[in-house]
Amino acid sequence: QQEAAKVFPVSLRDEPPKVDGRTDEDWAEAEWVAVDEQTQAALCVAAGRLYAAFRTQEPALLDNSGESGLEMLFKTGGAIDLMVGTDPAAPAGRAAPAPGDLRLLIARVEGRTVAAAYRPNVPGTAKPLVFSSPARTITIDRVDDVSAAVEAASERRTVTRQTWRGPQTETFYDYEVSAPLEVLGLAARAGQEIRGDVGILRGRGGETCERVYWHNKASGVVSDVPSEAALTPALWGTWRFVAPAPAAPDR
């Protein structure tokens, strides 16, 4: 918690990437960060949408049973997990979520893209959702179904490398997701910084068995509902929105 927040550059692009599950072309110039040893992630903003790309060795990263409903999507399998502090004026070291902090979970349930926006602090909420265990209880003011606004795609990719043993082929799986800035309540401007994190949930047999993130390394709990539901912005990193470099003049 005392470690300085790392910076994740989020490029502001003129042209949006195509959400087709391929990262070899549209993301060739992206700045990738490590989520863990098997997974990398990149972010960009274009045409009023936030885009995220993941390169991993997980063939079924998004598979989720969804059997416990949208509110418990984080318990029932795999997903892409985006933590976003949309208000740049919110205190950077806040222990509790501020208005504008949200978590966007994106998964596939029976072949259909499902996305849930968890908003823990919405002023004026009368009946928040309660997440309890014998250890503690937390509340989240709203969980919104934003599936219709979110795009997701994946593709299998093979890479052949020359090694001292000869050519070696590795298989990777690329994932792309996209959500409107309006749905997130995010206004991305060049030079602006916000708190944020990116991660994945790994699932097996209809249950979430692992949680890993780029910045929050204290996220390994998968047996306590409040811990898995909670947003902890004090452990997020910094997203910095970066304008595209100016084009070179014609000669």
Side-chain angles (χ1 to χ4, degrees):
Q1 293 181 14
Q2 297 174 356
E3 187 176 314
K6 300 176 184 177
V7 175
F8 194 149
V10 182
S11 60
L12 302 176
R13 298 191 187 181
D14 295 326
E15 296 293 329
K18 185 178 180 181
V19 181
D20 55 7
R22 300 187 60 177
T23 66
D24 51 351
E25 294 182 4
D26 288 345
W27 297 88
E29 304 299 322
E31 295 196 49
W32 295 84
V33 302
V35 175
D36 65 4
E37 292 182 355
Q38 300 178 9
T39 306
Q40 294 179 309
L43 295 170
C44 75
V45 169
R49 298 180 71 91
L50 174 68
Y51 294 83
F54 290 77
R55 292 172 173 171
T56 182
Q57 294 177 315
E58 302 290 332
L61 174 62
L62 296 180
D63 286 3
N64 194 299
S65 71
E67 60 186 3
S68 298
L70 197 73
E71 297 169 6
M72 299 290 287
L73 196 64
F74 59 86
K75 286 293 293 181
T76 53
I80 282 172
D81 200 350
L82 305 179
M83 305 279 188
V84 191
T86 63
D87 182 3
R94 56 193 180 277
D101 289 348
L102 67 89
R103 175 189 195 181
L104 181 65
L105 267 183
I106 302 169
R108 285 199 192 110
V109 178
E110 296 180 350
R112 179 174 61 93
T113 297
V114 173
Y118 296 74
R119 307 179 195 271
N121 190 337
V122 181
T125 300
K127 294 183 178 181
L129 301 168
V130 178
F131 297 84
S132 296
S133 73
R136 64 171 176 151
T137 295
I138 70 161
T139 59
I140 291 181
D141 286 349
R142 278 174 36 194
V143 178
D144 299 329
D145 186 348
V146 296
S147 305
V150 170
E151 299 176 334
S154 61
E155 280 287 340
R156 180 175 178 269
R157 175 170 53 92
T158 58
V159 176
T160 300
R161 296 187 176 92
Q162 290 292 335
T163 71
W164 65 274
R165 294 179 178 178
Q168 299 290 320
T169 299
E170 295 181 279
T171 300
F172 296 90
Y173 298 87
D174 294 348
Y175 297 84
E176 288 179 286
V177 296
S178 169
L181 299 182
E182 183 178 7
V183 167
L184 303 177
L186 177 63
R189 300 180 180 89
Q192 185 182 76
E193 292 186 350
I194 61 173
R195 301 291 283 185
D197 210 345
V198 297
I200 61 172
L201 309 185
R202 291 187 172 100
R204 182 173 61 245
E207 295 183 357
T208 302
C209 59
E210 189 177 9
R211 304 163 59 227
V212 292
Y213 297 85
W214 157 64
H215 201 275
N216 179 6
K217 301 305 181 184
S219 58
V221 176
V222 290
S223 58
D224 181 71
V225 168
S227 298
E228 295 169 81
L231 280 70
T232 53
L235 301 182
W236 299 348
T238 298
W239 290 9
R240 179 181 296 152
F241 297 105
V242 181
D250 294 333
R251 293 185 178 181

